[in-house]
Amino acid sequence: MENTSTRDAKNPVVGTPPEQEYVPARSDIVRSPRIRKIQITAMLLLLFAAIINYLDRSSLSVANMTIREELGLNATEIGMLLSAFSLAYGLAQLPCGALLDRKGPRIMLGLGMFVWSLFQAAAGLVHNFTQFILVRIGLGIGEAPMNPCGVKVINDWFNIKDRGMPMGFFNAASMIGLSVAPPVLAAMMLAFGWRGMFITIGVLGMFLAIGWYLIYRDRDNNKLSAEEIHYLQAGSVASRKEPLSFAEWRGLFKQRTMWGMMIGFSGINYTAWLYIAWLPGYLQSTYHLDLKSTGLLAAIPFLFGAAGMLLNGYAVDALVRRGFDAVKTRKVCIISGMLLSAAFTAFVTRATDTTSAVTLIGMALFCIHFAGTSCWGLIHANVTARMTASVGSIQNFASFVFASFAPVITGWVLDTTKSFSLALMICAGIAVVGALAYLVLVRKPITDGI
């Protein structure tokens, strides 16, 4: 997979004599069979990695009530365990993005997947709250490269007009992981106990990490033809080849658009993380469901979320190919999706039975992940290629640091009020603020000034 032969505006294709260089017309954007094979292989590996990733993230939520009883924890302490992961994950995004732009997805995702799987397996061996906190921190650090690597791989191997659907599939894989997690993890708990569940999915992740490293190759480690380079670069924001300097990375924080994406995506992740962390607990405590019933019902809203991601990928690609502006299209999807999600989340507080609650939560997740897919796609359309991993990691850093408050605030609200209503209204308000940030602050592209 590749690109020792990448060229920029100033340099010819490496290893290709000038008289043999092929420069096709702008409309002649052809995907070679080799590029297609690379895309399929990379996407399949990313999809499996994302599913395992979200099985890991969901494990504590599904085992919430059982672990509370065995270790003697209250809802606030469970919230702290959930927040420890997201805070560590968010803080690790900053060095992760800079390293990814230099080392590439092959090393970063392979290493990250192995580390997070090791800590996931270790969670099955803990015996107290302190040990659990340390394991959750390790899990968060290990998982940090996942989303930036996915964005980088799609940015490297797909033309800008073809990125909406793979981004939708990549994001949908996370929702597939979340949707299969409750019934699959509940079944594993019933068969092996919660400790056996943690160990089993940790071992699976280690094997996948090894497979990724052995199979995937970075674009910079492949030699591409001029036609293949043209397909990959046509229509993208212009960029230089050299890695991002620290001064350029630091300068990203001076850009208004960067802050709009950080604040706005915080609204996405706060909503998503609240439901990831507390949906099984909400169903069990509010509607008094057993573990098996909770596992089945909790899967449904995440399937709605997956549908939102897939629909967004299809819709954005279709509109852009018809001539609609790539940035404006994604902004409309983001803002409308976030506002609708806020409305559905607010109405969850009025639900009186499991059917209405699950339906409203499902629509809230459909809308927030419809918006979230376009948030990642906005990086492809609005950011120069050499900065995508850094911008993606900074966006994820801010959003997960902020979203890390969702589990512990929700746990505290539950301990204090014995209800989820206030926590859900806070979530709806934060989604509205995020939508306004995209509307007001995200106006100009992030470029490297060439």
Side-chain angles (χ1 to χ4, degrees):
M1 300 193 167
E2 135 76 32
N3 184 8
T4 50
S5 58
T6 300
R7 66 171 185 170
D8 57 27
K10 299 178 181 179
N11 299 310
V13 179
V14 175
T16 303
E19 66 272 13
Q20 296 178 2
E21 184 179 341
Y22 170 73
V23 183
R26 174 64 186 84
S27 60
D28 183 18
I29 302 176
V30 179
R31 177 170 50 180
S32 70
R34 184 165 74 115
I35 291 292
R36 186 185 298 272
K37 181 179 178 181
I38 289 170
Q39 290 173 342
I40 292 172
T41 302
M43 288 307 301
L44 284 174
L45 290 169
L46 283 177
L47 294 179
F48 286 126
I51 290 171
I52 290 289
N53 182 279
Y54 277 84
L55 281 173
D56 291 340
R57 293 191 192 190
S58 302
S59 55
L60 179 57
S61 302
V62 172
N64 182 337
M65 302 299 287
T66 304
I67 292 173
R68 284 171 64 179
E69 292 174 5
E70 182 171 327
L71 299 184
L73 306 178
N74 58 32
T76 303
E77 288 171 323
I78 287 291
M80 291 174 67
L81 290 176
L82 293 162
S83 294
F85 163 84
S86 53
L87 183 59
Y89 178 94
L91 292 174
Q93 292 293 305
L94 290 180
C96 171
L99 286 169
L100 179 55
D101 279 327
R102 287 166 172 76
K103 301 298 183 182
R106 184 191 181 207
I107 290 176
M108 290 300 294
L109 184 54
L111 181 61
M113 202 184 313
F114 193 87
V115 169
W116 97 52
S117 299
L118 185 64
F119 278 101
Q120 176 70 7
L125 306 176
V126 302
H127 293 283
N128 57 54
F129 179 76
T130 302
Q131 292 173 352
F132 224 142
I133 281 281
L134 295 175
V135 166
R136 296 291 293 178
I137 291 171
L139 181 70
I141 293 171
E143 288 198 9
M146 182 67 224
N147 275 1
C149 279
V151 173
K152 177 70 171 170
V153 169
I154 293 169
N155 187 83
D156 282 350
W157 291 110
F158 289 84
N159 178 270
I160 189 170
K161 290 190 175 183
D162 297 330
R163 292 173 188 164
M165 186 56 74
M167 198 70 239
F169 273 111
F170 175 62
N171 280 349
S174 65
M175 287 296 101
I176 292 170
L178 287 173
S179 63
V180 302
V184 169
L185 296 178
M188 291 174 66
M189 281 182 60
L190 292 172
F192 311 124
W194 67 269
R195 295 182 184 277
M197 175 194 70
F198 278 105
I199 293 170
T200 300
I201 55 177
V203 171
L204 287 175
M206 290 183 214
F207 279 112
L208 186 59
I210 295 169
W212 167 267
Y213 184 79
L214 292 176
I215 296 171
Y216 180 79
R217 294 293 182 273
D218 294 328
R219 179 170 154 177
D220 288 341
N221 294 324
N222 284 271
K223 187 169 184 177
L224 299 177
S225 68
E227 298 97 320
E228 290 171 334
I229 293 170
H230 177 72
Y231 163 76
L232 295 172
Q233 294 182 346
S236 296
V237 179
S239 71
R240 303 193 303 272
K241 175 62 181 168
E242 61 267 22
L244 209 63
S245 68
F246 179 71
E248 289 176 307
W249 180 85
R250 191 177 60 227
L252 292 171
F253 290 93
K254 299 177 182 179
Q255 299 207 32
R256 179 175 173 176
T257 294
M258 185 75 259
W259 280 97
M261 294 166 73
M262 291 163 65
I263 296 169
F265 201 62
S266 293
I268 298 281
N269 261 349
Y270 189 97
T271 302
W273 193 237
L274 180 143
Y275 287 121
I276 291 171
W278 279 104
L279 177 55
Y282 166 78
L283 293 174
Q284 285 182 297
S285 63
T286 304
Y287 297 103
H288 310 292
L289 303 179
D290 59 24
L291 182 59
K292 182 179 179 180
S293 299
T294 298
L296 294 173
L297 285 175
I300 297 172
F302 294 120
L303 289 173
F304 276 69
M309 290 175 170
L310 290 172
L311 179 62
N312 179 269
Y314 174 81
V316 167
D317 275 355
L319 290 171
V320 171
R321 286 170 183 161
R322 284 173 171 79
F324 287 83
D325 182 79
V327 173
K328 290 181 180 178
T329 298
R330 286 175 169 88
K331 282 187 62 178
V332 169
C333 290
I334 292 167
I335 294 165
S336 59
M338 294 184 75
L339 292 177
L340 286 170
S341 179
F344 283 116
T345 294
F347 278 115
V348 172
T349 62
R350 304 288 186 89
T352 56
D353 55 63
T354 54
T355 300
S356 59
V358 167
T359 302
L360 288 168
I361 292 170
M363 289 306 301
L365 287 175
F366 175 93
C367 293
I368 206 68
H369 289 300
F370 181 90
T373 299
S374 274
C375 291
W376 286 107
L378 189 64
I379 297 176
H380 294 147
N382 211 35
V383 179
T384 186
R386 62 194 286 265
M387 294 180 170
T388 54
S390 290
V391 170
S393 64
I394 291 171
Q395 173 181 277
N396 235 15
F397 151 75
S399 69
F400 266 91
V401 168
F402 187 78
S404 68
F405 291 99
V408 70
I409 287 174
T410 304
W412 178 81
V413 167
L414 180 59
D415 279 339
T416 304
T417 68
K418 310 303 179 186
S419 169
F420 283 89
S421 294
L422 177 59
L424 291 167
M425 293 305 297
I426 291 171
C427 177
I430 289 171
V432 171
V433 172
L436 292 176
Y438 275 105
L439 178 65
V440 175
L441 298 177
V442 180
R443 297 297 184 99
K444 297 180 180 179
I446 297 177
T447 66
D448 55 12
I450 65 170

